[in-house]
Amino acid sequence: MMPHNVNRLLLEGVVGSTAYGLATDSSDLDYTGIYVQPTADLLGLHPPQRERGTIISRTVGVDSCCHEIGKAMALMLSCNPTASEILWLEEWTHATDEGLDLIGLRECFLSARRVRNSYFGYATSQFSRLIERGRFAGSLETRREKHARHLMRLLWQGHTLYTTGHLPIRVENPERFHDFGRRIAADPDATAARELLAEYETLFDNATTVLPDEPPLEDLLQRIRRRAYLTDQQHGITP
């Protein structure tokens, strides 16, 4: 669940390995959410900077990450995989009307170039972690397995989104991903991961995307800000 200091929560759901169907006995439960900053905070002499609009909380076995609506939308427009996936869950632990508005417009955050660059870029980052963990003695093989699983997931999700316009969250065959992770854990050079990256680069190159150019979503953000402002007025809060 979200930290106690997060209010005006618009949307919240369980993400990560649990949502993907890849959780193991050691996996944490991951929550993500979107909230709206009170209007008074935005209109003062020192408004919070958008890049700082994230609240993170960690307790034993539970991690949570919550983005302010302005930052969340900016990340979604960049097709950031971890920020975008909340819009594509099958169910949510909390959803307001504004949160449902975001879900209803989830396709409007997509653009072909950014989906390819973001998902392929994140997968490449996971590959770099595999190589680094393979080079040093004492590196945790369980972490290598996890990075390998998520590399495969990101490539599969990104290509599916690129070609169909729909982001699948739960993987189709979890054991295939776990097998891949175990193969990588036994190979310091992560050869199978390198080959998978090359395979998906070719798939992206040869694919026909259904995604449009990035459309503007300024109107939705303005409506959410206006509702927050009216809520402040109704409660006698002066900006």
Side-chain angles (χ1 to χ4, degrees):
M1 301 294 288
M2 284 298 110
H4 65 83
N5 57 334
V6 174
N7 52 25
R8 303 195 185 197
L9 189 64
L10 304 179
L11 196 62
E12 178 196 66
V14 175
V15 292
S17 296
T18 300
Y20 309 142
L22 296 174
T24 66
D25 292 340
S26 61
S27 297
D28 291 333
L29 188 60
D30 298 305
Y31 286 88
T32 191
I34 301 171
Y35 70 98
V36 59
Q37 193 82 21
T39 306
D41 294 348
L42 299 173
L43 300 180
L45 289 174
H46 305 287
Q49 297 181 0
R50 177 171 291 179
E51 60 269 22
R52 297 181 181 175
T54 298
I55 299 173
I56 295 174
S57 174
R58 293 186 175 91
T59 58
V60 178
V62 178
D63 292 341
S64 64
C65 176
C66 194
H67 296 305
E68 206 278 329
I69 179 66
K71 180 175 181 178
M73 289 181 68
L75 290 171
M76 291 171 185
L77 282 170
S78 73
C79 297
N80 178 292
T82 56
S84 300
E85 63 186 2
I86 188 174
L87 300 183
W88 298 87
L89 298 175
E90 294 183 358
E91 59 183 12
W92 295 266
T93 54
H94 179 81
T96 64
D97 289 342
E98 289 92 348
L100 295 175
D101 283 343
L102 284 170
I103 295 167
L105 291 172
R106 60 192 182 185
E107 290 88 356
C108 296
F109 290 94
L110 303 175
S111 66
R113 177 180 59 84
R114 291 189 179 185
V115 164
R116 174 177 176 152
N117 289 349
S118 188
Y119 279 83
F120 199 85
Y122 268 65
T124 302
S125 175
Q126 293 292 327
F127 177 74
S128 297
R129 295 181 183 184
L130 294 177
I131 296 300
E132 289 302 314
R133 289 188 179 276
R135 286 175 181 166
F136 299 102
S139 63
L140 297 176
E141 289 190 0
T142 54
R143 298 296 296 176
R144 293 197 81 218
E145 288 187 30
K146 179 178 180 179
H147 292 318
R149 290 195 300 269
H150 290 307
L151 179 150
M152 176 179 268
R153 171 188 59 81
L154 285 162
L155 292 173
W156 170 70
Q157 284 182 319
H159 185 259
T160 303
L161 182 58
Y162 189 78
T163 55
T164 70
H166 178 81
L167 177 65
I169 297 297
R170 195 169 188 85
V171 304
E172 296 175 340
N173 183 358
E175 190 56 33
R176 175 171 168 259
F177 290 77
H178 286 292
D179 285 344
F180 183 74
R182 288 188 286 267
R183 288 171 59 195
I184 297 302
D187 177 12
D189 294 326
T191 302
R194 193 187 306 274
E195 292 173 349
L196 190 65
L197 281 169
E199 176 186 343
Y200 268 94
E201 186 170 20
T202 300
L203 287 173
F204 272 111
D205 287 342
N206 295 331
T208 299
T209 184
V210 301
L211 300 181
D213 293 333
E214 51 198 86
L217 283 173
E218 180 72 15
D219 178 65
L220 175 61
L221 181 58
Q222 289 287 345
R223 285 193 290 114
I224 290 175
R225 296 287 189 214
R226 283 195 293 271
R227 288 183 187 180
Y229 174 71
L230 291 174
T231 297
D232 286 343
Q233 287 190 319
Q234 291 171 359
H235 290 85
I237 302 173
T238 303

